[in-house]
Amino acid sequence: MRREFASVFMLLLLIGGVLPAVAIGANPAKPPGSEDKKDRAKAEEDFLLDITPSVRTAPSGRLSVVKYAISVRSMGHFREGVELKLKGVPPSATGIIDKPYGIPTFATILTVIIMPNTAEGVYRLTVIGKGGDATHSAEAALIVGGRNATSTTTATTTTTATHVGALVVSVGTDKQNYAQSEVVDIRGSVKDSSGNLVEGAKVSIQVDDPSGRATQTELVSTDSIGSFHNSFTLPKDAQSGTYAVYVTASKEGYIDGRGQASFSVGQSQTPAVAIVALYLTDLGNASRSAFSPGETLIVWVVVRNTGSPLERGTIWAEVDDPGGVPLMVQFQITTIGRGAEVRAGFSLMLSTGAYLGAYRVKAFVSDKMISEGGKFLANQISSFVVVSPESTTTTTSGTASGTTATATTTTTTSTESTSASATTTSTTTTTTSTTTTTTEATTTTTATTVATTTTTTTTTTSEAGTATSETASTTATQSG
């Protein structure tokens, strides 16, 4: 009996020792703290946003310019794109962020133009950055009027003139070409004429199919950073072709703002173009948002086509002076192949007596000349300022992990690659100034650029199969 009991006892001990070992081998326990490490690593993937200096002072009663350095630094392995928004710019002033989007680490400049009628006060400028699920902000003070200024947080826009109180709308889709049953993601933002984000604006979105029928309508509102968003799923039998997106933003106290974009579904038999970039440089290719009378600036418009070739596409650029009067209207007629991207430059020599203040830049793309019955396919708006050299207050350099932003110049390099040939004809029309037109196209096949102005014609042809860049320009002098 004792012997049998001992055998059973030993058997139970063996089973008790083997079962845990089998359990451990079948489903190994995770090392203590492994999940915490992953959570901590994810939490450390973030970005830091900073603005310097913390305070700037500008005199009241005259036009002046102050600048701040903005740095966006990556933490951990954060590689999401970060979009920068602005609020707190005083009425009648204008705030411009040179580079409002980038992947950390990067640096940029905030330029604020104070007009003679800007009220004295202490204004709190807030730069908001949003990337992925992370949102951060940084603040700086702007004192208008020096020691006698009183604190204020008011930043509403006056509506005494149409070009002052109009909302500025930007809109686009997450990509330009979709398949049936895919989700289309429409995103955009609304700003006022001072460059401030506009929260709570009502945004009407309508998407028309290639036949012109409304396939999606929605009414949304801008969020706390002035952004709006709408998604919808294309039906399984969605018509192939180019779809147009029309957006109208409205808010009490403002004049409605409008935006337009397009995308294609399947193998579109019509062009589907989008303005993917609108920016300004000087003749040295330095990105600028402020110029002085007598200087020459270049407006660059980058257009991409994912639909069928656009045979007589017309790229337009318009510059309006501080009074809203068109100072320059230029256009270039070009052929943009399927999948091609064209970069068109429009140059303007400012008069030595140019008005000081904020200028509006408008870019459009139409399928042909409007006088021939053409229609606009895309548009985008930007701005810059003209100031006297002595009215500019510079800022100290701001460094973001090796990337430096200074108040003097910020240089960018742009390379374009197209998959189809591009033939461009440039024609200049101005109202009060004589301008220069510049066109660049980089191609992997054959490209011919023809630039025509009132004084000079330049033709450049590249060898087939080589990557090349063509520039055609005309120089003229504007009288004061």
Side-chain angles (χ1 to χ4, degrees):
M1 184 68 180
R2 288 183 178 178
R3 188 175 300 172
E4 291 177 356
F5 178 81
S7 299
V8 173
F9 182 75
M10 290 298 296
L11 181 59
L12 291 173
L13 285 177
L14 288 173
I15 293 174
V18 171
L19 285 177
V22 172
I24 291 172
N27 185 22
K30 296 180 180 179
S34 61
E35 291 296 332
D36 293 340
K37 288 181 180 179
K38 288 184 179 180
D39 292 340
R40 284 197 299 270
K42 187 175 181 179
E44 290 172 357
E45 293 182 1
D46 204 344
F47 67 92
L48 296 176
L49 176 62
D50 188 37
I51 180 171
T52 56
S54 59
V55 179
R56 279 287 183 202
T57 300
S60 60
R62 66 183 179 91
L63 186 144
S64 58
V65 177
V66 297
K67 299 191 177 187
Y68 302 81
I70 300 172
S71 65
V72 184
R73 298 189 294 274
S74 174
M75 292 178 60
H77 299 285
F78 186 87
R79 296 297 296 166
E80 298 279 354
V82 175
E83 184 178 12
L84 300 176
K85 302 286 186 67
L86 177 65
K87 68 177 183 179
V89 178
S92 76
T94 302
I96 302 172
I97 299 176
D98 281 357
K99 183 180 179 181
Y101 180 86
I103 297 177
T105 293
F106 68 95
T108 185
I109 293 292
L110 166 61
T111 303
V112 181
I113 305 92
I114 297 92
M115 301 301 292
N117 61 339
T118 301
E120 292 189 354
V122 180
Y123 297 89
R124 183 174 64 187
L125 306 179
T126 304
V127 176
I128 302 171
K130 180 174 176 58
D133 295 329
T135 301
H136 299 291
S137 63
E139 295 183 350
L142 169 62
I143 302 174
V144 179
R147 295 180 179 179
N148 296 326
T150 57
S151 179
T152 178
T153 57
T154 302
T156 55
T157 303
T158 61
T159 55
T160 54
T162 57
H163 68 279
V164 174
L167 296 174
V168 179
V169 180
S170 63
V171 62
T173 53
D174 58 330
K175 58 182 186 177
Q176 284 189 262
N177 183 260
Y178 299 87
Q180 282 84 354
S181 301
E182 272 199 287
V183 176
V184 179
D185 191 14
I186 301 172
R187 293 181 180 273
S189 63
V190 179
K191 299 187 294 184
D192 65 17
S193 59
S194 292
N196 294 304
L197 61 87
V198 177
E199 180 181 358
K202 298 297 182 182
V203 181
S204 172
I205 301 173
Q206 178 173 319
V207 180
D208 291 353
D209 67 15
S211 301
R213 296 188 301 266
T215 186
Q216 167 74 2
T217 57
E218 193 68 49
L219 181 64
V220 298
S221 298
T222 54
D223 59 18
S224 60
I225 60 172
S227 298
F228 62 87
H229 167 252
N230 178 239
S231 295
F232 71 98
T233 302
L234 292 164
K236 294 180 180 179
D237 59 349
Q239 183 179 353
S240 295
T242 300
Y243 288 65
V245 181
Y246 300 100
V247 172
T248 300
S250 59
K251 188 174 183 179
E252 186 176 356
Y254 297 88
I255 295 171
D256 291 357
R258 291 174 173 81
Q260 184 178 348
S262 64
F263 62 89
S264 60
V265 175
Q267 189 78 358
S268 176
Q269 300 305 310
T270 56
V273 300
I275 298 175
V276 295
L278 172 61
Y279 61 99
L280 290 86
T281 69
D282 57 21
L283 291 177
N285 200 37
S287 179
R288 299 268 296 275
S289 60
F291 297 85
S292 297
E295 284 194 290
T296 298
L297 61 92
I298 303 178
V299 178
W300 292 102
V301 184
V302 183
V303 180
R304 183 182 300 150
N305 179 26
T306 58
S308 63
L310 184 60
E311 299 294 341
R312 283 181 54 81
T314 307
I315 304 174
W316 303 76
E318 176 182 331
V319 176
D320 297 345
D321 70 12
V325 177
L327 176 67
M328 175 202 85
V329 178
Q330 297 181 33
F331 62 87
Q332 297 180 19
I333 301 175
T334 181
T335 296
I336 312 174
R338 185 186 297 274
E341 186 173 287
V342 170
R343 178 180 183 242
F346 305 87
S347 145
L348 168 66
M349 179 182 291
L350 295 168
S351 165
T352 54
Y355 289 114
L356 305 182
Y359 287 63
R360 183 69 57 86
V361 181
K362 302 175 183 178
F364 307 90
V365 180
S366 60
D367 54 357
K368 55 185 175 181
M369 293 294 296
I370 302 302
S371 60
E372 299 173 351
K375 63 179 181 179
F376 289 113
L377 306 176
N379 65 75
Q380 197 168 130
I381 298 176
S382 185
S383 57
F384 68 95
V385 294
V386 175
V387 296
S388 58
E390 62 272 13
S391 67
T392 302
T393 302
T394 59
T395 178
T396 55
S397 298
T399 303
S401 298
T403 303
T404 303
T406 65
T408 52
T409 59
T410 303
T411 303
T412 59
T413 302
S414 178
T415 303
E416 299 73 45
S417 177
T418 65
S419 60
S421 61
T423 302
T424 303
T425 302
S426 169
T427 305
T428 302
T429 303
T430 62
T431 54
T432 59
S433 64
T434 303
T435 63
T436 303
T437 299
T438 304
T439 303
E440 290 188 4
T442 303
T443 178
T444 56
T445 55
T446 303
T448 303
T449 299
V450 181
T452 305
T453 64
T454 56
T455 58
T456 304
T457 301
T458 303
T459 303
T460 305
T461 305
S462 65
E463 297 181 1
T466 61
T468 184
S469 175
E470 299 80 44
T471 301
S473 63
T474 306
T475 303
T477 302
Q478 177 188 4
S479 63

